[in-house]
Structure formats: C-alpha cells, structure tokens
Amino acid sequence: MSAAATKIIQPLPLNSTTTNRSPHKALFNPLKTIPISSFPASTRKLRLTKPNSPHARRRSTSVFAVSDVVQEKKPTFNTFFPNLLITKEEGLELYEDMILGRSFEDMCAQMYYRGKMFGFVHLYNGQEAVSAGFIKLLKNEDCVVSTYRDHVHALSKGVPARAVMSELFGKTTGCCRGQGGSMHMFSKEHNVLGGFAFIGEGIPVATGAAFTSKYRREVLKEGDCDHVTLAFFGDGTCNNGQFFECLNMAALWKLPIVFVVENNLWAIGMSHLRATSDPQIWKKGPAFGIPGVHVDGMDVLKVREAAKEAITRARRGEGPTLVECETYRFRGHSLADPDELRDASEKAHYAARDPITALKKYMVENNLASEAELKVIEKKIDEVVEEAVEFADSSPLPGRSQLLENVFADPRGFGIGPDGKYRCEDPKFTEGTAHV
Amino acid sequence: MERDARVCVIGEDVGHYGGSYKVTKDLANKYGDLRVLDTPIAENSFTGMAIGAAMTGLRPIIEGMNMGFLLLAFNQISNNCGMLHYTSGGQFTIPVVIRGPGGVGRQLGAEHSQRLESYFQSIPGIQMVACSTPYNAKGLMKAAIRSENPVILFEHVLLYNLKERIPDEEYVLNLEEAEMVRPGEHITILTYSRMRYHVMQAAKTLVNKGYDPEVIDIRSLKPFDLHTIGNSVKKTHRVLIVEECMRTGGIGASLTTAINENFHDYLDAPVVCLSSQDVPTPYAGTLEEWTVVQPTQIVTAVEQLCH
C-alpha cells in the first residue's frame, strides 16, 4: 500500500478500523482485527474510529502525521512506514536510550531486593518509548517535569546514570545529594525539574517553567528564548484538578508546554476505565482549545513523530498540546506492588509489543543497523550500568553535617539565636537541631 | 518591580482590578499584563506555576486574595515551596513571596477570617513574617522579595487603612528581627499584626495604672528572634503573649515552648498566652468580639502576672 500523505486535520487515535462504529459504542466492543481476548482493562477499547462530529474537526487546528500513517496499515503492532522515519544515527540514539532505561530499571530491581535501595521505587519498564521519543528531541535548555516514575526521564535528559544510581542508594554523590531519593530526581544542569511524589503536583511547576520561557521572551525581551517544557504524568493524574487547571492556564496564555500523558491504564490497582467517566484523555484537550492526540506509546517512532509536531508548535509560540501515549508498565506500580490485579493476557499482549524489540526489528529489517552493532550498544550500556552501581556503592553516605544544609537557600532563615548571632553563623550549627 | 525585571505578581484580580485591597493598584498599567498576571481561580495551580517560574529564574509574588484561599494551595506550598530546595539537594531555589490579607475582620464570616500562620508554621523551608505598620510592611516586603528563601508575608485585613509617614529613601528591614515597640521594665508582651494595636491600647491603660510593659512586635513568626525576645525576658522575667491565631497549635504555643526551653531560668512566672478562641469566627458582631483577644483581657492578664 502506498504511503499515506502526512496531512491530518483532526486529532485521531491510531489504528482506527474501517467499520464505522460510534465512539461510545466502541468502548465496549473489542477490535476484531487483533486476536486478543477482551477484558475490562483492555486498552483495545480505547482504540476508536474517527470521531464523526464536525465539532471535533473544527476544534483541532494542528496537523499530525501519525494517525493517518497507520490508518491504512494492518493493525499489527510492528508494521512501520516504508519511508524511513529516522536516520541511522537517530535510530541508534533512540535504541541506546531505551536500552539504558531498561537495563537501569532492571538493575534497580536487583539492587532493591539486595537491600541497597529503599522505600518506594517505581520502575519504568515498558514505557521507554515515550521517554526516548520525546526527550531525545529536546535541547538542553528545555525543561522536563515528571512524576515518581522519573528515573528514565532523568536519564534520557542526560543526567548521568551514576548520579541517578547514587541518589537511589542515598549517597552524597547522588544528583540531589541523597536528599531526594527515587521520587525526586532533579538536575539544574540538565533542566530536570523533578521528580514529584504526589501526582499532579508537577504539572503546575511545568506550567511555571513554560511561563518563564514566555516571560523571558516578552518581558525580558530575550527574543530567541523558545524553551519548551514537557510535563509527563499518568492516566490517574488526568482526573486530578491540577491537570485541568493547568490545561486551562496553558491554553489561556499560550504557554510553550507539551502535556504528555503516559496512559498505562493502571493507577496502582485502579484501572483507568473504572476511574474515569470518559477514558479518552486526548479528548480533554479540545475542551480547553488545545489539540489532543492519541499515540501508540509502545512505538518509539510514532511517539517521536507526534512529539516533533507538538514541540515545534510550542516553540513557534502556538501554545500547548495534549499528547496521550498509550503505553504499559511491565512491572508492578512499584517494587512493593504484588501486581495481582492485572490480567496475564493483557500483560502478554503488551509484552509482545515491547518497544525495544520493535525498534530493533525495524532497524534490522530496514538495514539501518546490524544485529552486531546493536549488541555492541547493549554491551556498552551493561558496562555503564555496572559502573554506576560500583560508583554508587563506593560513594560515601551523607554525614550529620548535611542534615541542615539545604533547608534554606539563605540559611539566615534559621533565625537569630539567643546570643544575637544568626544560628547559621555558629560553626557547630549543622550539628545541632533544626527547630526555629 | 522597577529594580528587578524578574519580579512579577501572580494572583486573582491583581492586574486590572488592582488587587482585592488595592495593594497592586495601577501596577498592571505600568508593567503590563504579563508582569502583573490576573489568574483564573485556581490557587493550587497558580501557586505551583509561580513555584515553577521561581525555579527557572523569575521572582514571583503570589497573592492570595484572602489568605484563607491559600488553603487550596497547601499542597504546593508545603510540598514544593518548602521542600524543593532540600529535595533537589540545593540545586533549585524558590524565591517566592506569598502574601495576602488575613486575620479576623469586621464580620466577614468564618471562612474569610482565618489565621493561617499556625497552619503553615510547621512547614520546613519557609519563612513567615507578619507586618503591622506601613513602615514595616514596606521594609518587610522588600526584604521578602530580595530573599532567596520562600517567604509568607501575612497582612491583616483591618490594617490596610493605616496612614504613616515613612522615609523617602529606600530601606529594607530584616526578615528575622523583631521590633521593639515600647521599652519597659515590668513585663514583656509579645505580639504581632493587629494584636499590636490592642496591646498598645491596653498599654495606655496599664501605664495609667502604674505598670511599665515592654511591648515587642515579633514580626518574624518563623524563625523567632530569640535574641530580642531573650534580652527582654532577662530584663523583665515575665512574659505575656498576645496573638490572634487559635490557641491550639498556634504561634503562641510554639513561642511559649521556645521561651521555656531557652530562658527558663529567667522566668519568675509561667508564660501566659492569650489567643483567639478555638472556634470558627462567628458572624455576629458580639460573638466575633469575644473570639479575639480584647484590650481589657490583656490588662487583666498583666495585672495577674505582675501581682
């Protein structure tokens, strides 16, 4: 079949079938073209036909290549566009990033069960395509804001694996000096603005970073400031007030931000379909005047195409975009989650769509790289991760003097002590207590 | 705002309306709609947005139209404002100022008459100051804007009409210092915000009765200025705290503990704390009056302490 033109008007979900089912009915009918049994939590139900309403067409203004591209295809997971979407270098970069994410997270699991890592650790296995697809398109000055599932976002943005690993081990050499932990990965150098434990908390912060970008361009007259912010969050967050409030504000002021929903269908044990009145998250964008797009998040190339469009829109000053990536986490919500609620066939279905295997197949089939070259990358990453663990292991634990150090940017905030001097001026200050 | 282009104001009705108590009047005309940003009614989100902007280089001033509305922003103030400098290992600073009118007004009803200083005081990483006169309002505001720490500046609804001569030249006050309002010998009265005026009114009566109270406006609610307070306690040996926030878990409760821990040897009598009743502020005028500490109660308390 011929390559479809890359011209789209409405925000469409992918893999629409040829039968014309109404969007609402399709929620409960499994797609017949894919031989997977349907069950309540299946994402099959989210794949819909085009919304027929002219209203939907009128609302969206942006152009997305992805949906049209896949429309005419057989809806199996690993058929790709004959015209190559990436160059060899780009492909290798994406592959390396995803392998790094996967190996790192697997190593985290090992280290956790060996007692080197503690608390709540949320692993990203299976969702690497979203991180690689989006973040690899950014400049260093662009900001990324994430949630507690943030290790791989930090890695994709450029934070060294050893810094992230030592942070997880709670050592002083960690990216946040061991004070943040798994859920609070920050890096000023790479513009990673966290790492937030409560869901939805990071979205306003991302909106603020985008606001700064606009402020710098318009008030501070830094005309070339076109920094974009990406806010990553999950399906559960899309029922939270902060999500909607920020969609409104970002649309109102046309902030350079992309809202990326990593819809992995489960919020710990709560299925997205049980929690949401209208599970199609991309539809919530047009309610605020923002284009909403649904993308196959297990396919890094499709994610990348959608990301390119959204990020370019933001850079041009056309405002925010809402991108819903349909993805899946192969492991439980966190390492403490027994993961008993998810159906085995659902897991198997997504395991078969592993983004790393898919990209590997694509690159080999299209002669972008040989198996041997990819193996070299895998070996290199293995070494990087091993080295990160060694580095973290051998790093020192924080001492008592670090306890009071970063509470205030200006330590005069600890106040004037009974002797009339600022408490922070006392040389033994950091050995004391923090009460004010 | 003129001195530093990164300073901006974010809040509801701060721009075209000039602020609910006209604090930001005409600023939007001078600086434009982006520097004096009128937000939709989404406290949690615009507070978070200001925090994100502060992390990336701006210096926003967040206005809560009434301090009570900031309860909706508690998530962002506690989790992000207070904590991010620490959890990022010192990488990001949050130089925000959160300000707004609070306190008990004239029959505004329970929800518009809240004293949030006690709710916010436990949050690690923030500083709290309460202004009480035009002079210290200006000085503390400037200090708060220039500070690298997040500062919550508590203003009081009934104090906006005060008039005072203030210096023309620029002055910046110290965020962590208390203010000596009236030096004295017999007893130390610690207070802040509107209660300062009730205390001064009581002081007039007390002076006529032959007492010599020392009145200190603590101004800095977190951290306490233990030096000024301590010197006073060492001199008078008796302490009365007069505050507007609730008795349970209030600023007075923390201050009592701090004084007991640090200056126990200097006290001749237990620290007495007069606070508002632990009730939602009633609408009825008489009930509202009995909720807050009145000058007569202050006089009685001093007499009892100094007997």
Side-chain angles (χ1 to χ4, degrees), chain B residues 192-233:
Chain B
Y192 64 91
S193 194
R194 179 181 168 225
M195 286 296 118
R196 169 188 171 136
Y197 296 92
H198 280 204
V199 167
M200 290 312 286
Q201 209 179 324
K204 273 201 217 124
T205 316
L206 286 168
V207 165
N208 288 342
K209 291 193 177 186
Y211 294 95
D212 187 20
E214 177 155 293
V215 180
I216 295 179
D217 182 341
I218 58 173
R219 271 191 347 208
S220 176
L221 303 180
K222 183 180 161 120
F224 294 130
D225 178 1
L226 289 176
H227 178 62
T228 311
I229 295 171
N231 284 346
S232 180
V233 175

Side-chain angles (χ1 to χ4, degrees), chain A residues 218-239:
Chain A
E218 295 183 14
V219 175
L220 300 179
K221 307 290 185 213
E222 292 172 26
D224 56 349
C225 180
D226 61 352
H227 304 332
V228 166
T229 306
L230 298 186
F232 290 92
F233 47 94
D235 43 289
T237 311
C238 295
N239 293 325

Side-chain angles (χ1 to χ4, degrees), chain B residues 19-271:
Chain B
S20 52
Y21 285 85
K22 303 297 177 206
V23 173
T24 48
K25 188 170 161 191
D26 285 337
L27 286 182
N29 292 339
K30 191 169 175 194
Y31 295 112
D33 280 345
L34 206 57
R35 277 191 84 183
V36 186
L37 188 72
D38 279 325
T39 61
I41 306 174
E43 278 79 9
N44 201 14
S45 295
F46 72 69
T47 304
M49 191 175 100
I51 291 169
M55 284 167 79
T56 42
L58 300 185
R59 303 186 77 93
I61 302 167
I62 303 164
E63 168 166 319
M65 192 184 249
N66 182 290
M67 277 306 237
F69 300 174
L70 291 181
L71 285 174
L72 287 145
F74 211 108
N75 180 4
Q76 292 290 340
I77 295 175
S78 170
N79 282 348
N80 289 348
C81 189
M83 293 195 195
L84 283 188
H85 185 71
Y86 195 76
T87 52
S88 67
Q91 292 181 81
F92 290 101
T93 56
I94 325 268
V96 295
V97 178
I98 300 175
R99 50 157 294 271
V104 176
R106 299 241 185 275
Q107 297 188 256
L108 298 177
E111 288 175 25
H112 282 83
S113 313
Q114 300 195 64
R115 285 79 76 200
L116 296 197
E117 50 269 21
S118 48
Y119 300 16
F120 289 132
Q121 73 170 316
S122 289
I123 302 174
I126 55 159
Q127 278 187 249
M128 304 201 303
V129 283
C131 59
S132 48
T133 65
Y135 178 79
N136 64 32
K138 178 174 177 185
L140 289 176
M141 174 72 88
K142 277 188 187 280
I145 295 174
R146 291 173 204 207
S147 171
E148 294 300 317
N149 296 335
V151 178
I152 306 186
L153 174 59
F154 292 92
E155 300 158 9
H156 198 286
V157 280
L158 294 179
L159 298 183
Y160 283 112
N161 286 330
L162 290 174
K163 288 194 182 356
E164 184 183 341
R165 274 219 96 83
I166 53 177
D168 283 329
E169 63 274 0
E170 178 162 294
Y171 65 95
V172 179
L173 292 175
N174 215 334
L175 282 177
E176 299 87 21
E177 252 178 54
E179 184 182 324
M180 176 67 71
V181 184
R182 179 192 190 284
E185 297 290 326
H186 289 165
I187 180 172
T188 301
I189 306 183
L190 302 171
T191 182
Y192 64 91
S193 194
R194 179 181 168 225
M195 286 296 118
R196 169 188 171 136
Y197 296 92
H198 280 204
V199 167
M200 290 312 286
Q201 209 179 324
K204 273 201 217 124
T205 316
L206 286 168
V207 165
N208 288 342
K209 291 193 177 186
Y211 294 95
D212 187 20
E214 177 155 293
V215 180
I216 295 179
D217 182 341
I218 58 173
R219 271 191 347 208
S220 176
L221 303 180
K222 183 180 161 120
F224 294 130
D225 178 1
L226 289 176
H227 178 62
T228 311
I229 295 171
N231 284 346
S232 180
V233 175
K234 289 176 193 171
K235 188 166 62 167
T236 66
H237 310 298
R238 285 165 221 279
V239 181
L240 173 68
I241 301 173
V242 180
E243 57 168 1
E244 197 176 296
C245 67
M246 270 78 74
R247 175 155 212 77
T248 307
I251 300 287
S254 300
L255 192 49
T256 307
T257 311
I259 295 174
N260 280 333
E261 275 176 5
N262 286 291
F263 309 115
H264 183 256
D265 289 335
Y266 299 96
L267 290 170
D268 280 348
V271 176

